[in-house]
Amino acid sequence: MSLIGYALKMAKEYYDPVTYDHALRVATYLADNEMIPDSIEDNCIALGIMHDLLGDTCYGMRGEEVADPHFRKCLEIIAEPIDADDAEYIKNIKENARMYPEAYWVKIADIKDHLAQTNTLTNKRKNKYLKVLAGLL
């Protein structure tokens, strides 16, 4: 099974419908982003689909299913800990952007999607995402 196929399977299994739709929008933003090198595009798309699995579900990475250590590290970087300090979380993504650019690109797409959801975007959430985006750029 391809990594994107695996990501879709896990998303269907672990996400609620709202989170699943969000993950697919994030993946679409990544697929449409011409700045992402072709060499990492598939990893970015799979990571975009899976980016909320570790932090928001009971999904646990099992070595045989996500065997690529680079991808596993990207998934760990993008997973926002429950008690995370936004500044530290973003600092970690930015500091790892050279070695693990997929996490960086996924976070940008994630923020883009959250900001685009104007029907559920409160001023508090908007300010949070704009601050996080500024920290990444």
Side-chain angles (χ1 to χ4, degrees):
M1 176 181 300
S2 73
L3 189 54
I4 293 173
Y6 173 76
L8 287 168
K9 182 179 176 182
M10 292 301 99
K12 285 181 183 177
E13 184 174 334
Y14 287 97
Y15 288 149
D16 61 56
V18 172
T19 306
Y20 182 79
D21 289 346
H22 163 67
L24 293 185
R25 288 190 306 269
V26 169
T28 301
Y29 290 139
L30 293 159
D32 291 343
N33 187 337
E34 294 180 8
M35 293 179 65
I36 297 174
D38 290 343
S39 61
I40 65 168
E41 184 179 42
D42 285 352
N43 272 6
C44 285
I45 293 167
L47 187 64
I49 295 167
M50 296 177 70
H51 78 277
D52 281 331
L53 281 177
L54 289 180
D56 294 350
T57 73
C58 61
Y59 171 83
M61 282 191 293
R62 297 170 289 274
E64 68 279 0
E65 294 177 354
V66 182
D68 178 11
H70 180 86
F71 187 83
R72 288 175 65 91
K73 181 65 175 178
C74 289
L75 195 54
E76 291 169 8
I77 290 168
I78 199 67
E80 188 170 357
I82 293 170
D83 59 349
D85 171 63
D86 285 340
E88 286 299 314
Y89 171 64
I90 294 306
K91 180 181 174 190
N92 186 45
I93 291 173
K94 195 169 183 178
E95 286 177 351
N96 283 289
R98 276 215 172 115
M99 188 71 110
Y100 304 99
E102 297 93 334
Y104 177 84
W105 288 115
V106 168
K107 192 61 189 176
I108 296 287
D110 179 44
I111 293 167
K112 179 179 180 177
D113 187 60
H114 283 297
L115 289 172
Q117 302 310 306
T118 56
N119 57 328
T120 57
L121 186 65
T122 64
N123 280 337
K124 182 179 178 180
R125 288 180 62 125
K126 178 181 176 182
N127 291 334
K128 172 190 174 176
Y129 290 121
L130 290 174
K131 184 178 177 182
V132 168
L133 182 60
L136 283 172
L137 301 177

